[in-house]
Amino acid sequence: MTEKPVSARCPVCGYHVAVPFFFGGAQPLATLGWPSSEAEARGMEKLPLDFVQCPSCTHVYNRSFSYGSVPYQENPNLMFNNGRFWKNHLAEIKRILSQVLTSDPTVIEVGCGEGHFIHDLAESIPKGRFIGFDPNARNKADQSIEFYPRLFKPFEDIATFAPDVLIVRHVLEHVTELAGLLEPLAWSASQQGKPCYLFAEVPCIDRIFETGRLSDFYYEHVSHFTSGSFQTLLQRMGEVKTIGHGYGDEVIYGLVRLDIPETMKSVASQASAFCRSAGISLETISRQLSDLHLSGLSVAIWGGTGKSAAFMHHFGVDAGRFPLVVDSDPAKAGTYVPGTGQKIEFRDVLKEKPVDVIIIPCHWRLRDIIAEMKSEGIAAGKVLIEQDGHLLEPG
Ligand SMILES: [Zn+2]
């Protein structure tokens, strides 16, 4: 039997239905609270553990998590692990990274903490440039790495530093907006004109399905990756080179060559072309309207709300130069055009006072309005519509 599904957005794949997974009630922070007395420890604020699973990509996440409830600024995330097996794991991921690290790479670690990992890498590649970002760590005096005590900004920082490799280790499980971090990162990296790789590593919860254990679930980890959800995430970032488990299958990591699909590049290029031509259209049609006003011809705009109002806003159809606005809908007569303020008249006004030019901004009603003009005996010297960046007579 399936528990009643809830509405929640999966931070990995964006699926909007989730199924209850583990309700842990309200609990205090487990790792970032640092209470300094027994009384403080007992009095800690309780926060909701409301874990759900995404049926699409299998990701598990706390749908009631609020980033503001975790005091990262005051209390850095100190991850202590000096054990032999952990060191073996680190050696393994350095070996994987060595496959893409050149002799003089630019490497960025996002959420580098105290910088131990990137420091070790820097020592092994003396000619490289190594940069760490972490808003919650203390400033590093270390000469081998550049350190920025702030959030990493994908669009700006990838353009500025032009990295060859980005490393994000034990960070993504804390991030509420995974797509907000990673999609701009993949996008920016794809614009560099050179390969750029992402190495990501997170705790993996696959083993909880074997062990049934619940101790993995605490407030600071909003996201819990299964192998399936981690793979889903990486596949959205580009070409996955390696995915592997480490540290007794307790972590999962992957190496991706960051890129975006050709279809997205094509949409982006078409959107940019539209954006440029829209700017030209604004200038061209505004100029045509000025010329029309200066020519002394009488003008009516047919339609006073919706698309017609938008037309007047875009092209500066002010009430001073273009006071006459008519509408087919008698219910709109007597109301005013939003923003520009012309009083909307019923179209019959054109029977008594014909105009030289009628502008019909609303394309989709054009044929009906022309037919209405004919049947009502409304004539004009010229009808103009917005077409291909100009005011033209309909073809
Ligand atoms: Zn999902």
Side-chain angles (χ1 to χ4, degrees):
M1 195 187 79
T2 306
E3 294 285 321
K4 194 171 171 223
V6 294
S7 177
R9 186 171 63 91
C10 173
V12 168
C13 74
Y15 199 72
H16 264 266
V17 174
V19 281
F21 190 77
F22 170 54
F23 294 138
Q27 303 293 349
L29 293 172
T31 189
L32 283 166
W34 302 110
S36 57
S37 68
E38 182 182 338
E40 199 182 311
R42 289 181 186 277
M44 284 172 76
E45 185 189 358
K46 302 269 179 78
L47 301 158
L49 301 186
D50 197 2
F51 290 97
V52 293
Q53 186 169 31
C54 169
S56 177
C57 77
T58 73
H59 196 59
V60 173
Y61 58 100
N62 183 354
R63 74 181 182 115
S64 299
F65 179 85
S66 163
Y67 188 83
S69 298
V70 183
Y72 284 110
Q73 292 293 345
E74 302 94 72
N75 303 327
N77 190 6
L78 298 177
M79 184 170 165
F80 177 77
N81 198 331
N82 208 18
R84 182 161 62 87
F85 291 107
W86 186 248
K87 284 179 179 168
N88 290 346
H89 166 63
L90 293 179
E92 171 62 8
I93 63 176
K94 281 175 193 157
R95 188 192 64 72
I96 289 163
L97 276 167
S98 71
Q99 296 166 8
V100 292
L101 287 168
T102 57
S103 60
D104 59 348
T106 298
V107 179
I108 291 178
E109 185 173 12
V110 178
C112 65
E114 301 299 298
H116 302 302
F117 185 76
I118 193 164
H119 171 78
D120 283 358
L121 275 185
E123 289 214 314
S124 64
I125 311 176
K127 286 195 334 201
R129 184 180 182 192
F130 292 85
I131 303 154
F133 285 86
D134 200 314
N136 311 311
R138 291 183 287 275
N139 207 343
K140 304 296 294 181
D142 194 321
Q143 296 297 309
S144 64
I145 67 167
E146 297 167 43
F147 178 73
Y148 295 89
R150 63 169 172 86
L151 285 172
F152 177 72
K153 299 177 195 158
F155 286 127
E156 291 93 333
D157 291 325
I158 288 186
T160 303
F161 297 105
D164 300 292
V165 175
L166 289 144
I167 297 168
V168 186
R169 295 186 59 243
H170 297 275
V171 168
L172 299 178
E173 64 271 29
H174 300 271
V175 174
T176 325
E177 289 298 330
L178 284 168
L181 171 66
L182 293 177
E183 287 173 358
L185 192 145
W187 192 280
S188 307
S190 75
Q191 306 294 304
Q192 287 199 105
K194 67 171 184 178
C196 181
Y197 294 89
L198 169 70
F199 181 87
E201 179 181 326
V202 293
C204 177
I205 60 162
D206 284 2
R207 292 203 68 229
I208 70 157
F209 298 98
E210 298 159 27
T211 61
R213 71 193 188 203
L214 298 177
S215 55
D216 292 48
F217 297 101
Y218 52 87
Y219 194 76
E220 288 90 329
H221 285 188
V222 56
S223 259
H224 290 265
F225 290 87
T226 62
S227 293
S229 70
F230 187 68
Q231 190 169 355
T232 301
L233 186 71
L234 290 198
Q235 282 168 343
R236 291 180 63 174
M237 297 302 115
E239 184 190 349
V240 178
K241 296 289 187 187
T242 306
I243 286 192
H245 291 91
Y247 201 52
D249 291 345
E250 295 291 352
V251 302
I252 185 164
Y253 54 78
L255 183 69
V256 190
R257 181 175 166 170
L258 293 166
D259 203 359
I260 55 169
E262 288 304 320
T263 47
M264 283 198 195
K265 290 178 189 167
S266 165
V267 170
S269 129
Q270 287 168 41
S272 303
F274 188 93
C275 194
R276 284 190 293 273
S277 71
I280 296 168
S281 300
L282 287 176
E283 285 177 21
T284 308
I285 294 177
S286 300
R287 199 169 50 243
Q288 281 186 284
L289 285 163
S290 288
D291 292 346
L292 196 56
H293 168 65
L294 293 173
S295 72
L297 294 172
S298 55
V299 178
I301 314 291
W302 194 303
T305 61
K307 292 180 168 66
S308 298
F311 174 89
M312 290 187 252
H313 299 164
H314 294 330
F315 303 113
V317 182
D318 55 84
R321 295 182 303 162
F322 301 96
L324 183 55
V325 174
V326 303
D327 206 288
S328 304
D329 181 359
K332 287 188 185 138
T335 65
Y336 293 83
V337 178
T340 52
Q342 292 95 329
K343 187 174 184 183
I344 301 170
E345 317 255 10
F346 186 48
R347 42 89 164 138
D348 277 3
V349 76
L350 296 175
K351 293 178 184 172
E352 293 144 32
K353 277 200 298 179
V355 291
D356 301 313
V357 178
I358 294 176
I359 299 175
I360 303 176
C362 186
H363 264 223
W364 70 302
R365 287 205 63 233
L366 177 65
R367 285 189 307 171
D368 275 337
I369 291 172
I370 299 279
E372 187 179 342
M373 285 169 64
K374 265 193 191 141
S375 69
E376 294 296 324
I378 296 170
K382 203 190 277 185
V383 167
L384 294 176
I385 58 166
E386 180 200 355
Q387 178 84 38
D388 298 328
H390 294 83
L391 284 177
L392 301 172
E393 292 188 72

